[in-house]
Each structure stands twice: as C-alpha cells, then as structure tokens.
Amino acid sequence: MRQLDLSTMVMPYCFFMLIFLSNMLVAQKTRYELQVPQIGETIALDGLLNEKAWQVKSVANNFYRNFPDDKGLAKAQTEVRMVFNDKYLYIGAILYNESGFQNYTITSLKRDFQLQGNDALLILLDTYNDQTNAFGFMVNPFGVQSEFLGSRGGADFDYSWDDKWMSKVIKEKEKWTVEIAIPFSTLRFDPNKTEWKVVLGRNNIDANERSSWVPIARNFQLFEDFGKAGKMIWEAAPRLRKQRVDWTPSVTTGGSQAFDERQNIDLTFRPSLDAKIGLNSALNLDLTLNPDFSQVEVDEQQANISRFEPFFPEKRQFFIENGDLFSSYGFPDSRPFFSRRIGLVYNERTGLFDAIPIIGGAKLSGKPNEHWRIGVLSVQTARLKDFYQNADGESSDLPSYNYTSISSQHQLFERSNLSGLIVNKQSLESNNDFNRTWALQANLASSNNKWTSKIFASQTFSAQEEINNGMYGGNLLYNTRNWWVLSALRRIEDGYNAETGFIPRKGTWTFFTFPNYIIYPKSEKRLINNILFTISPFFELDTDFKVLDRSFQQFIEVNFDNTAQFGVEAKQWYTRLQDGFDPSSSGGLNLQEGDAFYYNSYAISFISNRRKLFSFSSKLDYGTYFNGQKWSFNGDFQYRIQPYGSVSLQFDSHFIDLPLPYSSNEVFLVGPRLDWAFSKNLFFSFLVQYNNLIDNVNVNARLQWRFRPVSDIFLVYTDNYNTNSWQVRNRALMLKIKYLL
C-alpha cells in the first residue's frame, strides 16, 4: 500500500494560510477624514443648515459612483458635515440633483424602509473602529427615517432595531437638505476614542445611481463593506452627559377566541415593562417583565413542501440589539442558538408560531473595552397546561424553562474575531430536564474584504448520555470585481441536539461551492450592467459517507442597467431518503426510507424595473420530482402609490404529479397585501395569506400610531379560517399601548 505523504497536503494549506494572514495584516490607508468640531449650542432641526455651526471647513464631498459602474465621481453630488455638543451628534447634508428638480422615489412614508427602491442618505457609524459592527441611519427626501444594526462587517443587517433620533428634511428645486440629531444615549461607544469610522452613501433612484464618500467597488452594496470607511476625527472624545435609563411600560388588552376548542372568549389585560439601562456608554442592560409581542408584524408564511422545518427571522425587539453575539455561530441553516426557540413554537397546522408566555428576561450586552464584546441573556418562560396531546387524547403540560446564553467575542487583527458561546435550557421542575450547548468560532477577514472565512465547532449535552454530539465546519468566501466564490464544509453528527438552535437535519456531511464569475460590458451606452455565470456542486452525505443529496447547478443571470434582471437555471439532482416522505405534501402514501431518485429541473426568472410604479418578479420551474414531475410558479406583483404605500400580491404555487398509488397535489400560497402610511406617524398594513397546504387562511390587520419617539399605539386584528369548511379557527383583537419614559 502506498504511504500517504502528508507534506503534499500540508504545504498547499500552509501556503494558502500565509497569503490569507498577510492580507489580514495589510491595513487600509485611509485618506478620507472628516473633522467633527464641538459646539456649545443646540441646533434647531429645520433642515435648512443656516446655523453658524454648519460653517465648518471639513466637509465629506466628492462622492464616487458605486452603481451602475464604479468609475469616477457621481453625477449627483452630496455634501455631509458633522458637529456635536454634550448631548447630540449632528449631521447636516446637502444632496444635489443632477439636473434640476427630480421626482423622488420612495416605497412609503412608513418607517424602517430599506435602501433598495428608495432615494436616501445612508450613514453607518462604526463607533468602535472594529470594521465589524455599526449603527445605521437612513433618511429619504420625504423625511422618513430608518435605523438598523449591522454586524459581521456588513454581512448581516437587522431593521427591527428601534431607537430614538431626530431629523428634518427640506426639498428644494435642485437639491434636498437634511439635518439629523442622534443622541449619544442611542449609541454604544468607547468614551476614550477620538476617532470613529463612518460609511456615507446615497441612493439616487431617478438618476439610477448609487454613490459613496469612500469609493466602494461595484461588487459590494453601499453597506456591505465596513472596511471602506472614512474617519470621523472628534475635537474631543464624545461622552454621555448622564447614563441612559429608559423605562417603557405597556399594556395589552383585548380578546381572543379558539372556535375549534371552545366558544368562550378569553379576555386579556396584560401589563408589561421594558427597561434599557446604560451602565456606561458601551454596556447596556435590557430588562423585560411579562412581555407581550402581539404588535410584531406577522410572519409571512411559506409553501413548505420540503422535508425540513422552514426558517423565520427574529422580529422581537428584546432579542435584536447585539443579537449577532448569539445567533451568528454556525451557518444560517444550522445554528446552535436561535432566539425564536424562546417563547415561540412552530404550529404545523397553521404554519404560524404560537406564543409561549414569557415571565421575564434580562440581557447584558456591549463592548466593555476595545477588544472584547460580551453578551449574557437569560429568559424565563411560563408553564403551559395541556400543551402536548398524544394520539390517545391524553394531555401533558409544557414545563417552565429557563434559557440562559453567554457569548463573548475577542477581536483579532483588524477585522477578525474569536467567539465563544454557552447555551443552557433548564427546566425548573426537574434537574434531569436540561439541554446544553457550547460553540467556538473564528471569523477571519482580510483588510480589503476580498477574503472572509468562518471556522466553528459545537457540542450538545443533555441528561441522556449522547455520543457523536458535535457540529463542526467552516467556509471561505473570495469576493472581487469578477469573482464571488463561496465554499463550505460542515459535519452534523447524529447525536447533536441543540434544542435552542435551528438544526433541520442531523447525521450529515455537507460540502458545496458556489463559484460566480461576473463580466461587465464596457460600452458607455449599454443596456446590460453585468452577466453572472454559476456552476455549483452540492453534496450531502450520511455519517457512513454515502450520498444523501447531490446536485449540480448551472445558472446565468443578466442584470440590466435599469435594475431589471433575467435568469435561466438548470439543475441535476440525486436524493436518497433517510426517512419516509410524501413529496406531494397531501398526506398520501409515503416513499420509503432508502428510496433513491435522479431528477432534473429547469427554471427561468425575471424581475422588472423596480423603479417603476408597477413592478413584478416571477420564476417558472419545471422538472422531474422524486418519482414524478413538478411545475412551480412563484413571484410577486406590486403597485406603488407614492408616497403613501403599495398594494402587492405574492404567490407561490406547485403542481405535483406522481404516479399511482402515490398522491398528486396542487399547492397554493397567495398573499395579497396593503401597506399604507397616512403620515410619517400613522401606518396601516393588511395581509391575507391563503395556504392550502395547511388548509388555512390567515388575516392580519395592524394599525400603528407613533405618537412620540419609540412610543406607539397598536391595534391588531387576526383571523384564521379552515379552508375545508371555511369555519373560523381562531380570532383575536388586541390593543397595545407603549410609552417611552
């Protein structure tokens, strides 16, 4: 037998790591500096920038194009100034139009819009200079605000974050101007630092142009690369005048009725209390007592015909800030901590998450010094009577659980970090009812953001001794103007049981690579902005290294200068079932464990110009499917009624044809929606979701009045109908009032 020469394996690996580390150690030489002088006055926000304080020498100007190309200065220029006093960071900006008055484009007057599809000024504040986390603020020409949290250097964003800041916009013939005041109590920062990093960007829909102060390559969005940031140089280190203590009492009242169980109406009167206590300018303590999340926007259902549980994002405010400290371990589809496991349980019958009452919770999070971030989360849920029911109709209770998670993150090099996580789920009624998880992860990134990588390991423990209880893996991403290549390897052992995580499938080895090659036409009068080519293999093996799933995808995507998009795709699949499965999702005859299938599918997709009042997207997919065939058609139609809102229709349909004796099926998910903003403070949304896969129609209507910063009145109506009999399953009407003290 030939002896294995380890040097042939180790030498290329060492060579690669040498290149990777050298990239990380090359610091970006920043020449974009903005002086932030201190003032002794309070600026009255009127959007005019006529105060003497704005007559500063240091101005961020000469914005560079990022889209449709990244060559040269933007046609429509932007100027940004910053000053501060003992309470606020003030930002003043002038956003010029390319040729006189423009028809500004926004999606709605509603808060928390996203950059895509909106004229907007973008500000990202990297308050710790770690090029990893940032506070994001956006304002559009109609004065609508949006704030969000960025993490992982621009890879993740959370628009559910909500905090207090002020702004005022004035529209003129050839420009629009904005004044912003951000309280230092809204931010987390090191009081000893006199330099922050900042990303300044602008989206100009009418001119079809994105631009930024520091040049950002076109293969990145404006907010996707915190490394391409300028410097804010403070005249003196900003400090909190007093530590922040915000109390937000709220009360929820209303009634609900479960028609399929009993006819009486359950009345609710639920007082709650939330607190945000700034221990210092960098550490925050969040407290919640008897919280109610009925005002959170309803989840959009999925026509899930797969073998695995669908994923829904976290929207509850208590879990949002510094949530990446807990949730960023592993991969998006296999994570050891998933906050929606706390106080929510997925109901397969309705396709929604049912709430489990939370008694209270506390979260300490922030950055105590330059190199460390920490997070400690503890939440206690209530006991629920008759929660479980077996086939014989016997009921049992869901115990009261405590969920505690501790995470820390230490910065390495310029843009990398090492993180550790401990999760403990413990019943207070039994010492033997527990589930624990630990995880370690290294996030590596080069200073120029061409290379990013993740390496992680995790194990679980419970009262029943478990073997093969680990999850290990890593990925590597290479991103340049012409190449975007992601490769990953992951192992999830049979005994890995993270009850507070999201692990749809266990006992697998997974490997995939997505090499994307992008070409850019050079013509000045071009129709096509870029063309993307992908050829990507995917392998999933069991623990004996036998193939469970294998696919090979070929994909071509054409992106037009006007933001339209066209794509064609072909896939070849192989699947060997680990468990019995009904591909029709109709409750018919199952295919058997060990059955194997080869099938092909072909798809064509189109997204229209999203700048138009009417826009749509659609995808048609056809191919063999297990032992039969499947047609799929999904997409959405939207008509924007500017500036008030939009009406839209989302749809997802699957036509599954299987040979007898197996069942065929037609699966439909249709969701008409109305989003309407009567003003910048009064919003209404109405959503209907018809899902024949679970025989359910869900109706959700939500009225929100923001009568002062972070203080709201919500009126929420929900209905669920059984589509077989069109009888009401349950109905609720809730009123919630919360007030920030």
Side-chain angles (χ1 to χ4, degrees):
M1 181 180 294
R2 182 182 177 183
Q3 186 176 4
L4 182 63
D5 185 0
L6 292 178
S7 65
T8 61
M9 300 174 61
V10 174
M11 291 302 293
Y13 176 78
C14 293
F15 179 70
F16 163 76
M17 289 305 295
L18 182 63
I19 295 175
F20 187 85
L21 291 173
S22 66
N23 269 280
M24 287 195 296
L25 295 173
V26 176
Q28 179 188 358
K29 295 181 179 179
T30 305
R31 58 185 177 87
Y32 300 91
E33 297 181 352
L34 181 63
Q35 304 293 326
V36 186
Q38 187 170 10
I39 61 175
E41 60 188 281
T42 298
I43 293 180
L45 296 186
D46 54 17
L48 295 176
L49 274 73
N50 54 3
E51 289 87 354
K52 185 178 180 180
W54 292 122
Q55 298 175 13
V56 295
K57 296 180 180 179
S58 184
V59 180
N61 53 15
N62 294 325
F63 276 45
Y64 291 85
R65 278 202 306 270
N66 164 260
F67 179 88
D69 58 58
D70 53 7
K71 298 177 181 179
L73 296 176
K75 295 179 181 178
Q77 276 298 313
T78 304
E79 297 178 358
V80 179
R81 298 164 173 81
M82 295 187 184
V83 297
F84 76 103
N85 60 16
D86 60 343
K87 290 182 63 176
Y88 299 103
L89 166 64
Y90 292 103
I91 302 172
I94 303 174
L95 299 95
Y96 295 97
N97 299 330
E98 181 184 355
S99 55
F101 178 75
Q102 287 188 331
N103 293 317
Y104 298 111
T105 299
I106 67 170
T107 53
S108 167
L109 291 174
K110 186 179 179 181
R111 290 178 56 86
D112 298 330
F113 63 88
Q114 297 192 20
L115 187 62
Q116 183 180 7
N118 286 273
D119 282 301
L121 171 69
L122 165 71
I123 302 157
L124 284 172
L125 299 176
D126 178 0
T127 58
Y128 292 102
N129 289 339
D130 59 10
Q131 301 179 54
T132 303
N133 302 279
F135 296 89
F137 303 89
M138 291 191 295
V139 183
N140 69 28
F142 288 80
V144 182
Q145 297 179 336
S146 182
E147 65 273 294
F148 56 90
L149 298 175
S151 60
R152 293 180 57 213
D156 293 326
F157 290 90
D158 199 322
Y159 288 85
S160 300
W161 179 57
D162 191 14
D163 218 320
K164 182 171 64 175
W165 57 291
M166 291 72 72
S167 64
K168 178 65 176 179
V169 170
I170 294 293
K171 295 195 295 290
E172 300 181 32
K173 183 177 180 180
E174 297 182 350
K175 63 186 178 183
W176 58 283
T177 61
V178 56
E179 286 183 317
I180 297 171
I182 302 175
F184 289 119
S185 59
T186 295
L187 305 171
R188 315 287 172 262
F189 57 93
D190 185 343
N192 299 313
K193 282 189 177 295
T194 57
E195 288 187 7
W196 292 4
K197 291 186 182 298
V198 61
V199 175
L200 300 173
R202 176 185 178 183
N203 203 20
N204 190 337
I205 300 296
D206 191 59
N208 195 28
E209 183 178 69
R210 292 195 304 262
S211 58
S212 60
W213 178 37
V214 179
I216 297 176
R218 65 195 298 180
N219 51 297
F220 291 100
Q221 297 285 340
L222 294 180
F223 42 72
E224 284 184 336
D225 187 359
F226 293 175
K228 299 298 187 292
K231 286 184 180 180
M232 294 169 56
I233 301 178
W234 299 83
E235 181 178 333
R239 297 184 181 275
L240 285 177
R241 189 171 64 173
K242 61 180 181 179
Q243 299 305 325
R244 172 180 183 171
V245 180
D246 288 345
W247 300 94
T248 309
S250 64
V251 62
T252 302
T253 184
S256 61
Q257 189 171 9
F259 289 83
D260 54 353
E261 296 177 2
R262 55 188 183 275
Q263 294 297 317
N264 58 304
I265 298 176
D266 292 330
L267 297 178
T268 297
F269 182 82
R270 184 169 183 165
S272 304
L273 179 64
D274 294 292
K276 187 178 288 290
I277 302 171
L279 303 181
N280 55 40
S281 60
L283 275 176
N284 213 63
L285 177 63
D286 290 274
L287 302 173
T288 186
L289 181 64
N290 197 33
D292 171 78
F293 301 108
S294 61
Q295 85 283 0
V296 174
E297 287 191 353
V298 65
D299 291 317
E300 293 187 3
Q301 294 183 33
Q302 302 174 29
N304 181 30
I305 59 174
S306 76
R307 292 164 282 164
F308 311 111
E309 177 189 352
F311 179 85
F312 294 87
E314 178 63 83
K315 298 180 180 180
R316 296 170 296 175
Q317 190 65 215
F318 175 76
F319 297 97
I320 296 302
E321 186 173 344
N322 286 314
D324 66 290
L325 273 169
F326 308 98
S327 63
S328 62
Y329 294 83
F331 291 164
D333 64 343
S334 54
R335 53 184 74 187
F337 181 84
F338 182 41
S339 59
R340 285 184 67 113
R341 297 290 187 223
I342 304 174
L344 291 171
V345 61
Y346 183 63
N347 187 331
E348 294 185 358
R349 185 189 64 177
T350 63
L352 303 173
F353 279 81
D354 294 334
I356 299 171
I358 293 176
I359 298 172
K363 182 178 67 174
L364 173 67
S365 62
K367 195 163 184 175
N369 60 46
E370 184 177 358
H371 299 292
W372 284 96
R373 291 179 71 208
I374 62 169
V376 181
L377 171 71
S378 185
V379 177
Q380 184 68 45
T381 60
R383 181 184 183 88
L384 280 186
K385 290 188 174 296
D386 301 328
F387 183 80
Y388 299 110
Q389 192 169 31
N390 60 24
D392 298 327
E394 298 174 342
S395 299
S396 58
D397 296 348
L398 176 70
S400 172
Y401 284 103
N402 176 267
Y403 297 83
T404 297
S405 181
I406 302 172
S407 179
S408 64
Q409 185 181 95
H410 185 265
Q411 186 171 349
L412 301 172
F413 308 111
E414 188 175 352
R415 304 191 64 196
S416 305
N417 57 69
L418 180 66
S419 303
L421 173 74
I422 297 174
V423 182
N424 182 53
K425 175 185 176 183
Q426 175 73 59
S427 169
L428 300 187
E429 303 169 18
S430 171
N431 291 332
N432 292 324
D433 187 359
F434 67 85
N435 181 261
R436 293 167 187 150
T437 305
W438 68 259
L440 290 174
Q441 182 164 289
N443 298 295
L444 306 174
S446 63
S447 61
N448 58 13
N449 214 29
K450 284 185 179 180
W451 295 93
T452 56
S453 180
K454 172 189 291 189
I455 304 169
F456 64 86
S458 178
Q459 280 187 307
T460 62
F461 306 90
S462 61
Q464 298 77 30
E465 285 194 22
E466 298 170 347
I467 59 173
N468 301 324
N469 57 342
M471 177 173 70
Y472 317 96
N475 65 20
L476 179 66
L477 173 63
Y478 177 67
N479 189 356
T480 64
R481 182 183 301 273
N482 297 107
W483 285 99
W484 188 95
V485 184
L486 174 66
S487 299
L489 177 66
R490 177 189 64 204
R491 181 187 183 189
I492 305 178
E493 296 177 333
D494 289 319
Y496 188 77
N497 182 31
E499 294 182 7
T500 318
F502 183 79
I503 310 293
R505 192 177 194 182
K506 297 184 289 186
T508 59
W509 283 92
T510 304
F511 169 76
F512 62 84
T513 182
F514 292 103
N516 297 321
Y517 181 69
I518 308 169
I519 61 174
Y520 300 93
K522 296 182 179 180
S523 171
E524 291 292 332
K525 298 181 179 180
R526 60 178 180 264
L527 177 66
I528 296 174
N529 184 273
N530 64 76
I531 305 174
L532 180 147
F533 300 89
T534 295
I535 300 177
S536 58
F538 172 91
F539 297 91
E540 195 149 69
L541 315 178
D542 63 18
T543 52
D544 296 324
F545 296 99
K546 295 180 180 179
V547 176
L548 293 172
D549 285 281
R550 180 181 68 235
S551 70
F552 188 69
Q553 177 192 29
Q554 306 94 55
F555 181 66
I556 299 176
E557 180 181 278
V558 180
N559 293 287
F560 298 91
D561 255 8
N562 67 358
T563 73
Q565 184 184 98
F566 173 77
V568 292
E569 174 187 332
K571 274 187 179 182
Q572 295 80 45
W573 289 82
Y574 167 83
T575 293
R576 179 171 60 87
L577 295 176
Q578 278 184 304
D579 302 290
F581 174 63
D582 170 23
S584 70
S585 301
S586 65
L589 183 66
N590 278 353
L591 301 173
Q592 298 303 304
E593 177 184 349
D595 288 351
F597 305 91
Y598 294 88
Y599 43 100
N600 302 310
S601 66
Y602 309 92
I604 184 170
S605 61
F606 182 74
I607 300 176
S608 72
N609 184 348
R610 289 296 193 187
R611 299 179 301 161
K612 301 294 186 182
L613 293 179
F614 174 75
S615 62
F616 68 93
S617 69
S618 60
K619 182 177 181 180
L620 179 65
D621 193 326
Y622 170 73
T624 51
Y625 181 69
F626 292 93
N627 60 337
Q629 295 179 323
K630 177 172 69 73
W631 282 90
S632 295
F633 185 48
N634 59 68
D636 68 82
F637 299 95
Q638 182 183 78
Y639 184 75
R640 194 174 71 249
I641 308 169
Q642 189 169 302
Y644 300 104
S646 63
V647 290
S648 61
L649 175 69
Q650 295 182 329
F651 58 93
D652 192 0
S653 57
H654 305 274
F655 303 89
I656 302 168
D657 185 16
L658 304 181
L660 294 174
Y662 301 96
S663 300
S664 298
N665 198 13
E666 297 177 356
V667 177
F668 295 97
L669 174 60
V670 181
R673 182 183 186 115
L674 169 66
D675 286 295
W676 196 260
F678 298 98
S679 69
K680 289 186 290 185
N681 299 310
L682 185 60
F683 322 120
F684 176 72
S685 65
F686 182 77
L687 173 65
V688 179
Q689 298 181 95
Y690 167 62
N691 189 343
N692 76 331
L693 188 63
I694 54 176
D695 299 321
N696 191 76
V697 169
N698 170 247
V699 179
N700 181 270
R702 180 177 179 268
L703 182 67
Q704 176 186 0
W705 175 32
R706 171 148 291 195
F707 57 91
R708 67 190 301 266
V710 201
S711 300
D712 304 271
I713 296 177
F714 298 93
L715 184 63
V716 182
Y717 173 80
T718 60
D719 236 341
N720 282 287
Y721 294 87
N722 187 322
T723 58
N724 291 325
S725 61
W726 290 104
Q727 296 296 313
V728 180
R729 281 177 166 159
N730 52 69
R731 178 176 291 160
L733 178 64
M734 295 292 171
L735 175 68
K736 180 172 182 176
I737 304 172
K738 70 169 188 173
Y739 187 85
L740 174 66
L741 299 177

